Amino acid sequence: MTDQHEQEFLNNLEKKLWTSANKLLPSLDAAQYKHVMLGLVFLKYVSDAFDIRRDELRAQFANPDHEYFLDPADFDGGAEGEDYQAEVAVELEVRDYYLETNTFWVPPVARWQFLRDNNKVVIGGAELPVHIKGETKHIKISSIGHLIDYALEAIEIDNQKLKGVLNKRYTQLQIDQAKLGELIDLISTIPFKHESLSSKDILGHVYEYFLGQFALAEGKKGGQFYTPKAIVSLIVQMLEPYKGRVYDPAMGSGGFFVQSEQFITAHKGKIGDVSIYGQEYNHTTWQLAAMNMAIRGIDFNFGKEPANTYTNDQHPDLRADFVMANPPFNMKEWDSGVDDNDPRWVYGRPPSGNANYAWLQHMLYHLAPNGSMGLLLANGSMSSNTSGEGDIRKALVENDLVECMVALPGQLFTNTQIPACIWFLTKNKNARTAASGRQLIDRRNKVLFIDARNLGYMKDRVLRDFTQEDLNKICDVYHAWQTGKDYADQKGFCSSANLADIQKHDYVLTPGRYIGAKDVADDGEAFADKMARLTARLKMQFEDSDRLEVEIKKNLAGLGYEF
């Protein structure tokens, strides 16, 4: 979490960028605007990371104690000689130096300095010199849009995983070229140095901020690819994906993968110990996810193409150690082309009118024997008996797959007010050592219920959010329950229930059924006295209501309205 000073810095940066960009691109709708901004932020991000590595290499070439040291004595004129400087320039273009530190390789024509220096020059067309490994090549550029498209195409050529991913459509934009040049100048002002935040922190925050703003601007459609960061962080913190295969079958822009990387880094782990697998149906969102991974240097496998998870599974043989997802809530007509006897429907065929249990069983199918999963679903999934959903839920409980249920507060999402919950499932509740190193106790035939509906705060008039303390409170009780260390039921917040308890409630998994009401402090007033006082107050309020109703009707009659 950022401290107050860092957060103030980021908030001011957000406001500046969003306000300025809106002034520059008033003619674009949110769908176009999104690609214009995120494409340029992507170029700025990878270029800054590349420049940091270049500066490191220059220092290493000049350091006699480093293995990459270039001895000036081997060149005429020493360190200031042309031969030495030319050799440094050549070495700085060796791609392997960047790949060894997981730094994204950026070709010369895609580097931000090149774009910034030439965005005004190419208005109306120009021939530009490009210096590569000591040689100069001239390229013809017809406009600023062409300059940006050329940069993106060069990145795809040099980074095959991004082939066909980047939106090279700047030439086609129906906007004033000078405005596009001003936008490059604006993004150039994103500070890439801060006393405590790295450029990766800053630009990563900017990228996520714009994703969130586009989700708000595009409404429901935008919300399909954006999951609130706090919810993603909560699931990642609870599952602790330190090593193994991580899979999201409805990945959106890749938020779970980004948070997994940040979690691993924060806990001194190695991102190389995790393999990333994802799938996404929407082509635009699939592109955004690939860009999101690339700017962070995360290796990924998102399948050959954007595809429907149900009819064109891009990872049919995958058995993941961690599965995390926020699939579309209550999705209808999801099963066109899906076999009724699909091997994924182990616990019952999901109804055509709601995909909640289809997502859940798809994820279970791809879960490894010791794997754990967490997914967001609408609250109805915890209690619905429609079209066999109750039978599927019963089978999940009877097969001891459900580990924890978390009820969430409302107003967390930009695109829906549907109340949501998080399901945590595992195929192995036996005592064992988790990937995090935690020693888990035997939890067979037990389920932890957590009611987090009263946590969080209103960050504005519309949206609710969690603090880090809220997240820690939920995660701490979950891990305490898993390990058997310092866990105790808390009325109104958490309770550990056994199979018999759940059977008594007809396999309904709503936490409120199990945790009970929070104890209310005794105010010293006798119950009989309190009831008499409150009943008298209620009687007076009813009388006031009747009196006001008469007055309102009289006033309306005076205005000529009959009631």
Side-chain angles (χ1 to χ4, degrees):
M1 295 291 289
T2 54
D3 62 28
Q4 184 175 354
H5 175 66
E6 292 170 342
Q7 192 59 53
E8 184 178 344
F9 167 81
L10 293 172
N11 290 343
N12 290 335
L13 179 61
E14 289 170 358
K15 185 177 180 180
K16 171 186 175 183
L17 288 172
W18 187 255
T19 302
S20 300
N22 271 298
K23 289 180 180 177
L24 289 173
L25 299 176
S27 62
L28 297 182
D29 62 30
Q32 291 178 299
Y33 184 10
K34 172 176 64 190
H35 291 295
V36 172
M37 285 301 299
L38 291 179
L40 289 173
V41 170
F42 166 77
L43 286 171
K44 179 69 161 64
Y45 191 113
V46 295
S47 292
D48 282 358
F50 184 85
D51 288 343
I52 290 173
R53 179 57 180 159
R54 279 173 69 89
D55 291 342
E56 290 176 351
L57 288 170
R58 283 195 183 92
Q60 290 168 2
F61 295 155
N63 182 359
D65 297 325
H66 199 278
E67 62 176 313
Y68 293 156
F69 174 57
L70 295 176
D71 192 344
D74 296 335
F75 300 87
D76 292 338
E80 303 302 323
E82 291 184 6
D83 290 344
Y84 179 81
Q85 294 301 322
E87 183 64 22
V88 169
V90 169
E91 289 294 309
L92 287 173
E93 296 298 322
V94 175
R95 182 170 179 155
D96 287 347
Y97 286 139
Y98 300 87
L99 299 184
E100 70 182 8
T101 58
N102 209 29
T103 301
F104 189 90
W105 169 259
V106 184
V109 295
R111 294 170 194 168
W112 194 260
Q113 186 71 40
F114 186 80
L115 297 180
R116 189 175 63 183
D117 290 347
N118 292 292
N119 76 77
K120 303 295 191 303
V121 175
V122 298
I123 295 178
E127 190 171 89
L128 302 178
V130 183
H131 304 287
I132 305 174
K133 294 183 179 180
E135 297 183 6
T136 301
K137 175 184 175 183
H138 288 82
I139 57 173
K140 292 183 178 180
I141 300 295
S142 60
S143 65
I144 297 177
H146 186 198
L147 180 71
I148 299 170
D149 285 344
Y150 195 91
L152 293 170
E153 184 176 4
I155 281 181
E156 285 193 349
I157 291 172
D158 273 354
N159 298 273
Q160 286 300 305
K161 280 212 168 184
L162 292 179
K163 185 68 176 176
V165 166
L166 305 180
N167 258 291
K168 304 178 292 295
R169 298 179 183 174
Y170 287 82
T171 306
Q172 302 169 24
L173 291 173
Q174 300 299 311
I175 60 173
D176 183 354
Q177 288 289 297
K179 292 289 186 183
L180 201 51
E182 288 181 55
L183 191 58
I184 291 176
D185 292 340
L186 169 67
I187 294 174
S188 295
T189 66
I190 299 177
F192 115 83
K193 288 186 179 179
H194 184 269
E195 58 264 31
S196 56
L197 291 169
S198 69
S199 63
K200 189 174 183 179
D201 292 330
I202 296 167
L203 282 159
H205 181 90
V206 168
Y207 191 88
E208 290 176 5
Y209 169 74
F210 272 98
L211 282 177
Q213 289 300 108
F214 292 127
L216 286 168
E218 293 184 86
K220 186 174 181 181
K221 181 180 177 183
Q224 290 176 356
F225 67 80
Y226 186 76
T227 309
K229 184 177 178 180
I231 302 301
V232 178
S233 296
L234 175 60
I235 293 176
V236 170
Q237 282 184 230
M238 290 179 76
L239 291 182
E240 299 184 309
Y242 279 99
K243 59 179 64 176
R245 293 151 296 189
V246 178
Y247 173 54
D248 184 348
M251 66 182 181
S253 58
F256 281 108
F257 304 136
V258 172
Q259 287 300 313
S260 295
E261 181 225 13
Q262 293 177 356
F263 173 83
I264 292 167
T265 302
H267 291 81
K268 311 303 180 185
K270 298 178 180 178
I271 189 61
D273 290 341
V274 171
S275 301
I276 299 297
Y277 298 85
Q279 180 156 350
E280 173 59 40
Y281 176 72
N282 182 282
H283 186 269
T284 295
T285 311
W286 185 77
Q287 292 174 303
L288 291 174
M291 290 166 61
N292 215 356
M293 298 304 100
I295 62 179
R296 292 169 169 84
I298 302 174
D299 194 25
F300 61 93
N301 181 345
F302 291 164
K304 295 179 180 179
E305 59 190 349
N308 184 308
T309 300
Y310 295 119
T311 58
N312 189 5
D313 191 346
Q314 295 288 292
H315 309 287
D317 300 321
L318 174 65
R319 296 298 178 268
D321 301 290
F322 301 96
V323 184
M324 300 177 277
N326 172 24
F329 290 172
N330 304 325
M331 183 177 165
K332 295 177 172 55
E333 300 177 0
W334 59 272
D335 58 346
S336 178
V338 179
D339 193 331
D340 286 349
N341 298 312
D342 191 295
R344 290 172 288 186
W345 314 147
V346 175
Y347 305 100
R349 206 255 186 226
S352 297
N354 196 317
N356 287 343
Y357 282 97
W359 285 113
L360 197 153
Q361 290 192 83
H362 172 87
M363 292 170 66
L364 274 172
Y365 180 80
H366 283 288
L367 194 63
N370 287 327
S372 298
M373 59 178 267
L375 79 159
L376 277 157
L377 288 177
N379 273 1
S381 63
M382 298 188 289
S383 58
S384 172
N385 290 315
T386 304
S387 304
E389 288 186 332
D391 293 331
I392 298 175
R393 189 171 57 253
K394 176 181 177 180
L396 295 172
V397 174
E398 293 284 0
N399 283 277
D400 207 16
L401 294 164
V402 182
E403 181 166 46
C404 178
M405 300 296 300
V406 180
L408 297 171
Q411 295 180 269
L412 288 171
F413 300 89
T414 59
N415 63 318
T416 181
Q417 293 303 310
I418 297 174
C421 60
I422 311 175
W423 290 64
F424 289 94
L425 296 95
T426 182
K427 290 185 175 180
N428 184 1
K429 289 187 186 176
N430 289 292
R432 60 185 176 89
T433 302
S436 63
R438 293 184 191 275
Q439 298 300 313
L440 308 182
I441 62 172
D442 186 342
R443 288 124 36 239
R444 285 176 291 180
N445 294 317
K446 294 180 181 178
V447 176
L448 176 65
F449 292 92
I450 299 175
D451 190 342
R453 289 177 299 172
N454 293 322
L455 298 183
Y457 67 101
M458 295 302 296
K459 62 189 297 184
D460 55 39
R461 291 182 298 173
V462 178
L463 290 174
R464 194 175 188 87
D465 202 358
F466 282 134
T467 65
Q468 186 60 50
E469 289 71 24
D470 293 327
L471 301 184
N472 291 343
K473 180 177 182 179
I474 299 170
C475 291
D476 288 348
V477 77
Y478 175 62
H479 294 144
W481 177 80
Q482 284 186 312
T483 59
K485 296 180 180 178
D486 301 321
Y487 173 79
D489 288 353
Q490 301 175 41
K491 283 188 177 181
F493 180 62
C494 64
S495 176
S496 180
N498 57 36
L499 179 58
D501 296 327
I502 297 172
Q503 289 171 334
K504 289 177 184 177
H505 288 284
D506 295 323
Y507 300 93
V508 169
L509 298 178
T510 306
R513 295 273 186 116
Y514 302 91
I515 64 170
K518 187 176 181 180
D519 290 334
V520 178
D522 185 2
D523 58 5
E525 185 177 10
F527 177 77
D529 293 340
K530 181 179 292 187
M531 281 300 296
R533 176 173 57 80
L534 293 177
T535 301
R537 180 189 296 175
L538 182 62
K539 181 182 178 182
M540 290 176 61
Q541 290 172 339
F542 280 150
E543 290 171 351
D544 286 343
S545 175
D546 292 340
R547 180 179 54 77
L548 287 171
E549 183 179 353
V550 171
E551 289 293 326
I552 290 170
K553 288 181 178 179
K554 183 189 298 184
N555 291 335
L556 286 172
L559 294 172
Y561 293 97
E562 291 187 8
F563 195 87

